[in-house]
Amino acid sequence: MRAFLSLTPDAETAMTISQWSALCWPMIERLVPVQNYHITIAFLGEIDGAVQQSIVEDIENRNLGGAFALALNRVGYWPDARVLWLGSDKACEAANKLAQTCKQIANRSGVRVSGKKFEPHITLARKPVVAPPAALIDPDFTVQFESLQLYQSILDRSGARYVEVESFRL
Ligand code: 3AM
């Protein structure tokens, strides 16, 4: 399966972010659906059952560092990937450590984590027709994360669908 490890915002905060996003960018036709909001910690790519089991066991035996809060107070746009995202104005040590741990765990199971420098973010829109204007209202959200999820990513004609496979307490 195509898989990744991520953090999922609680439903209430996710809805608030989604409402803010819809108000800020009414001109963007396809904002990411609120059900798909997540912060990718490690993109694993295609993994088979044995690798999945090994990663799950390793995570279960690790100290993941405990629950933490992340400020989501900065909007960014990566022009190459054409991704509009919501992230943080400063580094979050807990998130960075978690990403490092997950990368090590993946490597131990023979999975090379792809992606550039880790930048915790929620993708709000992909490939808008034009670069989005600045947000009308600056974001100032805080999300509390208690668990890490292993997701399967299913790509079909309607886009990406994420199915939770496992959840681990931080
Ligand atoms: O968390 P975001 O939305 O930035 O773009 C994909 C999405 O990122 C990313 O993994 C997340 C869940 O699908 N992704 C997809 N293919 C990838 C790849 N080959 C990838 N990240 C790194 N390398």
Side-chain angles (χ1 to χ4, degrees):
M1 67 170 182
R2 182 183 158 90
F4 63 99
L5 292 165
S6 83
L7 302 170
T8 312
D10 63 275
E12 207 174 307
T13 312
M15 288 300 287
T16 312
I17 293 172
S18 159
Q19 285 163 353
W20 160 82
S21 165
L23 282 173
C24 287
W25 296 288
M27 70 294 284
I28 297 182
E29 264 179 40
R30 283 188 309 146
L31 290 165
V32 169
V34 66
Q35 291 83 355
N36 281 6
Y37 280 5
H38 66 272
I39 291 185
T40 301
I41 292 294
F43 181 77
L44 305 172
E46 277 299 326
I47 57 169
D48 63 22
V51 169
Q52 178 185 332
Q53 195 182 339
S54 146
I55 289 175
V56 167
E57 280 172 13
D58 209 350
I59 293 175
E60 283 170 344
N61 291 322
R62 284 284 190 117
N63 176 358
L64 297 177
F68 65 93
L70 181 67
L72 292 172
N73 53 7
R74 175 185 167 210
V75 172
Y77 182 66
W78 288 321
D80 292 349
R82 285 165 61 203
V83 165
L84 174 70
W85 52 272
L86 173 64
S88 223
D89 68 349
K90 43 181 176 300
C92 172
E93 204 186 318
N96 289 348
K97 265 195 173 164
L98 180 62
Q100 198 55 42
T101 303
C102 289
K103 196 172 179 177
Q104 279 171 8
I105 290 172
N107 286 345
R108 277 162 54 130
S109 297
V111 175
R112 183 176 284 266
V113 169
S114 52
K116 297 180 186 136
K117 182 181 168 288
F118 175 65
E119 174 100 54
H121 66 276
I122 293 177
T123 295
L124 299 175
R126 287 196 175 81
K127 304 207 182 329
V129 176
V130 291
L136 202 56
I137 310 158
D138 283 334
D140 188 16
F141 306 104
T142 303
V143 196
Q144 177 76 15
F145 294 111
E146 315 270 345
S147 58
L148 173 77
Q149 276 75 40
L150 171 66
Y151 275 109
Q152 177 179 12
S153 165
I154 299 168
L155 304 176
D156 55 31
R157 263 194 267 157
S158 60
R161 201 155 47 83
Y162 306 132
V163 179
E164 185 182 307
V165 178
E166 298 272 353
S167 186
F168 314 90
R169 275 204 86 72
L170 288 175

